[in-house]
Amino acid sequence: ITETKKKKKKDPPIGKPKRGGSKAYYVYVRDPKTKRIKKVSFGSGGLRAKINNPKARRAFSARHNCPQKKDRTKASYWSCRLPRYAKQLGLSVKNPGGFW
């Protein structure tokens, strides 16, 4: 008797941004409303983030209203917090803390 085993799909790493996808970066998050895992793509494919330029970081944060971004299922949340995850994305950053 051959028993067919159901393959359990392994959960992707949640809350850990990675390079690639349809944009420059992507991250898997669990949607609190639906309890399902959602892939959030963020970042521009062509433009590079100027995370080592303090003036550019302040301007980005002000322009995108970063302190108000609280929803982890939105790309804007992750874009605002890009410097925090710079190391695991392979970006070099002098001052990793804070928003942009």
Side-chain angles (χ1 to χ4, degrees), residues 3-67:
E3 222 176 275
T4 55
K5 283 186 182 176
K6 270 194 174 176
K7 281 193 178 172
K8 174 119 174 59
K9 212 162 108 179
K10 217 172 83 184
D11 278 353
I14 293 177
K16 293 191 170 30
K18 298 206 176 352
R19 280 179 168 255
S22 59
K23 299 269 199 180
Y25 314 105
Y26 68 96
V27 62
Y28 290 103
V29 290
R30 193 175 290 281
D31 194 335
K33 291 189 197 91
T34 61
K35 304 283 187 266
R36 298 179 80 158
I37 293 172
K38 177 180 177 182
K39 180 179 175 184
V40 180
S41 297
F42 64 97
S44 167
L47 298 171
R48 285 293 135 244
K50 299 181 182 76
I51 54 180
N52 286 323
N53 179 343
K55 204 171 167 188
R57 278 173 71 154
R58 277 194 299 278
F60 183 95
S61 179
R63 184 168 68 244
H64 291 261
N65 212 350
C66 281

